[in-house]
Amino acid sequence: MKRLLILALLLPGSAFADCVLKNELQGQKHFVCQAPGASKSVHVLDLKGGFSETAYFHGYFLKKEIEAGVLKGVQVRTERAFSALDKKSQDQLLLIKKCVIDNYRASVSDEFKTGLKNLHRGLKDAGSQVSWGAFEESNYMVEFSIFADSMQRQMDESPRKGALKVFASCAPYFIGNTLAKPFKLLAQGLRSIKMGCTGISASASSSRDGALLHGRNFDTGLLGFYEPEQVIVINRQKNGTTSVGLGSAGLHYAGGISGINSHGLSVSLHELQTEGTQIRYDRGESDIAPYLLHSVLLKARNLNEAIAMIQTRKGFGAWTFFISDAKTDESASIELSGDTVVVARRAQNKFLGQSNHFLGGKTSQEGYEYSLNKTLETRARLAHVERTLNEDFGKIDAQWVINRLSGHTDELVGARSFGRTTTKLYTAATHVMQPGRMQWWMSVAETYPTNRSHFVGFRLLGPGQKAPVEILGTTKAWEDPTKPAWYDSMKYYIQAYLANEQDHSSIAGLDRTLALLETASATAAQDGVFEFPYEFMWARIKVLRAAKNIMSGQRDIAYTDLTEAQERLNTISARLGSGLHDYENFQLDLWRFRAETLKPQAKQSRAAQGAFRQEAQGLLQGLISKYPRQSELYDLQWSLGEEAQLYIVLDAEIRLGTVE
């Protein structure tokens, strides 16, 4: 199951042959590095100085990449989320967004704000037309998306509580019960800019060759914007600390994704949800989480200093700062819920896994997940990596971490393409770091899923070399050689996800998604694999297509859609039902009930409708007893009691990522 890294050690200087100097200004350098055999290159910014003083050169060197990259993706997703609202709700929520971001701006450090201004100045000097307002806002939107999610949950539970939270800092902007649904729509739209992510920290004691390893997947709805232009940001500071951040064009705080520094620290950031969001601190007293973690790399020399920085600065949203220290063979999971900071776990000479739910006592009281499958999948991912880390203790190496993060095992049901697996359909990058050796491996996104691409190994070199990094070689994640078509099918499911993100409103958009799902199913079938995500989401979208056809008066077409959807749902139940999780069997019954209910009365089977509803209600009651804090289950319980299902189907969110 292991692949050996292909070391580039054949000729003296071969480490530099694949890094080309593209730009140089005032001693600051931009390289493009590409490993032999890989079809994609990586930008490397070799910069002298800290964050704000070097940000200009990031903007100046990478204008074209930034204009098409992750910050544009944030703008596109934000505009799309607000466009789903009616004009009155849109105007009110835009005012609230402005107020909240004004408060963020008043709270963050001058160093962060100066860095943003310098990066934008570099962009403008390079000829960019990106406005300052759009650029600045994009850097705050990930925190605002957590706020919006928190608000929609609080508005559902207690509109008065939610209103008071915003009123405290945004007195002119009132929130009433009428904004509960708009906040829900906005939160759904903004989830596409969130950061999921599985993490692994394997101590030197657990590794094969005595080196601590820190790995992470970067899972984001910004797939298509983030991964095309990946950037390694090297900051060589006068204080002697050198940091390496692994990010994307425009994210000068690249260490806020993943990174290492010359003191043996490695870091990764993992997003969560909380009701405990904060809007404002005293001037300069806090920072957005990605920049705060990047500043840890620039300033902290050990794990204790890193923890102290986070405890002092606090934050706005819901995050886990996952940090390892190669010097002491330690790792820690530091959880932040607004102004609450908890060291949830800390281990030495052992290992830690990381996913996207709170584990600390105090933070867990404020944390939640927006759906049951999100609750299930974050816990399944954590259970899977910690079980396998324990089983292979003493055998862990970089290839092991790459294989684990690229894996397609659902801890609850076994082999799966996507859903509750460590790799997600929206995994944009995978990083595996060895901070004690200042080296790392990163996927270069030649294909989808991105972790089917080459992983390129890098080692940081000292100043004065011909290139800032040595390319160690390439490797790929292990795949089952008996199922090549199954792996190939996954790219079509990802393309279906991207098509759905682009257009899930029109019949033409739904048809594009359905066609890609059919291709995924047919490709997997070549290896004898019948994939629940492909089949269920096809049926799920068919029911939505029927609802839209009913609205447009195309009732005969709608009836055909409903019949085909039910047939597929019945096939899934017959072939896979005994091996599915209760929530999946509930979903099968739920959507069979909804499909039957949408049929013309003359063609409905009341017996079938009643049976599906009864089965769904029984399964749902069991799920509620196990997960009483999962508020979406109560919405589903209410919906099952309704006779009219048309508008419920039209309003239901399509989630190919979590298969719901």
Side-chain angles (χ1 to χ4, degrees), residues 336-368:
L336 183 149
S337 171
D339 60 359
T340 300
V341 180
V342 173
V343 181
R345 295 171 297 153
R346 186 167 180 166
Q348 187 171 33
N349 305 325
K350 296 180 181 178
F351 59 79
L352 287 179
Q354 181 62 50
S355 57
N356 300 101
H357 60 281
F358 286 119
L359 294 170
K362 195 169 182 182
T363 47
S364 293
Q365 293 173 14
E366 298 178 333
Y368 66 94

Side-chain angles (χ1 to χ4, degrees), residues 1-64:
M1 290 178 60
K2 301 292 182 182
R3 290 176 183 262
L4 296 177
L5 294 177
I6 305 167
L7 298 180
L9 300 174
L10 299 179
L11 294 171
S14 65
F16 315 119
D18 303 304
C19 287
V20 177
L21 180 63
K22 299 291 287 187
N23 297 288
E24 183 173 5
L25 181 65
Q26 299 176 19
Q28 312 286 16
K29 298 178 181 180
H30 166 214
F31 292 82
V32 174
C33 299
Q34 185 168 338
S39 62
K40 289 285 292 292
S41 57
V42 177
H43 299 278
V44 181
L45 300 180
D46 192 12
L47 306 173
K48 299 174 183 176
F51 173 74
S52 64
E53 61 193 301
T54 61
Y56 174 89
F57 303 97
H58 189 144
Y60 189 80
F61 291 152
L62 297 178
K63 165 192 167 289
K64 180 181 71 172

Side-chain angles (χ1 to χ4, degrees), residues 143 168 185 283 304 460 485 526 542:
E143 295 283 10
L185 288 172
R283 178 172 176 171
N304 288 335
L460 182 69
Q526 294 173 26
K542 269 286 191 177

Side-chain angles (χ1 to χ4, degrees), residues 307-355:
I307 292 170
M309 284 182 64
I310 297 164
Q311 290 173 329
T312 300
R313 302 294 294 173
K314 299 183 173 62
F316 304 105
W319 302 92
T320 293
F321 300 82
F322 197 40
I323 304 178
S324 305
D325 189 338
K327 297 185 304 300
T328 56
D329 207 25
E330 284 185 284
S331 55
S333 174
I334 303 102
E335 296 180 349
L336 183 149
S337 171
D339 60 359
T340 300
V341 180
V342 173
V343 181
R345 295 171 297 153
R346 186 167 180 166
Q348 187 171 33
N349 305 325
K350 296 180 181 178
F351 59 79
L352 287 179
Q354 181 62 50
S355 57

Side-chain angles (χ1 to χ4, degrees), residues 285-524:
E285 290 297 311
S286 193
D287 272 307
I288 67 166
Y291 174 69
L292 175 54
L293 189 58
H294 183 77
S295 66
V296 165
L297 281 185
L298 294 176
K299 299 173 183 177
R301 294 167 295 179
N302 55 57
L303 182 56
N304 288 335
E305 289 185 2
I307 292 170
M309 284 182 64
I310 297 164
Q311 290 173 329
T312 300
R313 302 294 294 173
K314 299 183 173 62
F316 304 105
W319 302 92
T320 293
F321 300 82
F322 197 40
I323 304 178
S324 305
D325 189 338
K327 297 185 304 300
T328 56
D329 207 25
E330 284 185 284
S331 55
S333 174
I334 303 102
E335 296 180 349
L336 183 149
S337 171
D339 60 359
T340 300
V341 180
V342 173
V343 181
R345 295 171 297 153
R346 186 167 180 166
Q348 187 171 33
N349 305 325
K350 296 180 181 178
F351 59 79
L352 287 179
Q354 181 62 50
S355 57
N356 300 101
H357 60 281
F358 286 119
L359 294 170
K362 195 169 182 182
T363 47
S364 293
Q365 293 173 14
E366 298 178 333
Y368 66 94
E369 294 83 40
Y370 59 78
S371 75
L372 180 58
N373 229 18
K374 191 66 181 172
T375 295
L376 295 173
E377 68 92 16
T378 178
R379 286 158 178 79
R381 287 185 285 120
L382 181 61
H384 179 68
V385 297
E386 294 208 325
R387 175 179 64 79
T388 53
L389 280 163
N390 183 60
E391 289 174 353
D392 291 339
F393 194 89
K395 304 174 185 177
I396 314 300
D397 57 16
Q399 185 67 56
W400 188 98
V401 180
I402 288 169
N403 293 345
R404 191 63 52 221
L405 292 174
S406 304
H408 293 275
T409 299
D410 178 336
E411 191 74 356
L412 302 182
V413 299
R416 274 280 174 88
S417 55
F418 298 109
R420 295 182 294 255
T421 54
T422 49
T423 188
K424 314 297 289 183
L425 63 84
Y426 41 75
T427 295
T430 301
H431 305 144
V432 179
M433 301 167 283
Q434 285 185 308
R437 298 177 180 176
M438 290 301 284
Q439 60 189 39
W440 63 95
W441 288 261
M442 58 193 293
S443 59
V444 292
E446 299 153 315
T447 187
Y448 291 136
T450 57
N451 40 27
R452 291 196 79 196
S453 307
H454 284 94
F455 284 77
V456 178
F458 295 92
R459 179 182 294 123
L460 182 69
L461 299 175
Q465 302 285 341
K466 293 180 182 178
V469 293
E470 173 188 359
I471 294 179
L472 300 174
T474 62
T475 188
K476 282 194 169 185
W478 178 85
E479 294 182 357
D480 183 344
T482 69
K483 295 182 178 179
W486 180 53
Y487 290 100
D488 288 342
S489 74
M490 297 173 191
K491 67 185 174 187
Y492 299 112
Y493 189 71
I494 293 174
Q495 289 170 5
Y497 161 77
L498 293 171
N500 181 69
E501 285 291 299
Q502 184 68 30
D503 180 7
H504 50 257
S505 299
S506 71
I507 293 292
L510 296 180
D511 285 346
R512 283 189 289 272
T513 302
L514 288 167
L516 287 162
L517 289 171
E518 288 166 5
T519 303
S521 295
T523 306

Side-chain angles (χ1 to χ4, degrees), residues 125-235:
D125 286 354
S128 177
Q129 299 302 308
V130 174
S131 71
W132 164 246
F135 172 80
E136 183 198 30
E137 180 183 277
S138 295
N139 287 275
Y140 291 107
M141 280 305 299
V142 70
E143 295 283 10
F144 181 81
S145 73
I146 301 173
F147 165 81
D149 220 325
S150 173
M151 282 301 303
Q152 76 92 15
R153 181 176 172 90
Q154 292 181 63
M155 294 294 288
D156 276 348
E157 295 179 349
S158 172
R160 175 178 167 77
K161 178 181 175 183
L164 288 174
K165 184 162 193 171
V166 175
F167 183 78
S169 296
C170 302
Y173 311 131
F174 292 89
I175 299 179
N177 294 358
T178 57
L179 282 186
K181 184 174 181 180
F183 254 116
K184 185 172 184 177
L185 288 172
L186 180 64
Q188 289 173 354
L190 293 179
R191 283 176 193 147
S192 62
I193 65 175
K194 289 182 174 295
M195 300 161 52
C197 320
T198 303
I200 290 172
S201 179
S203 67
S205 305
S206 69
S207 73
R208 184 185 299 275
D209 62 356
L212 181 145
L213 288 148
H214 185 136
R216 71 89 46 82
N217 282 338
F218 181 62
D219 304 334
T220 174
L222 296 169
L223 195 71
F225 293 99
Y226 178 93
E227 75 281 359
E229 303 292 347
Q230 295 188 63
V231 179
I232 298 167
V233 180
I234 302 167
N235 287 105

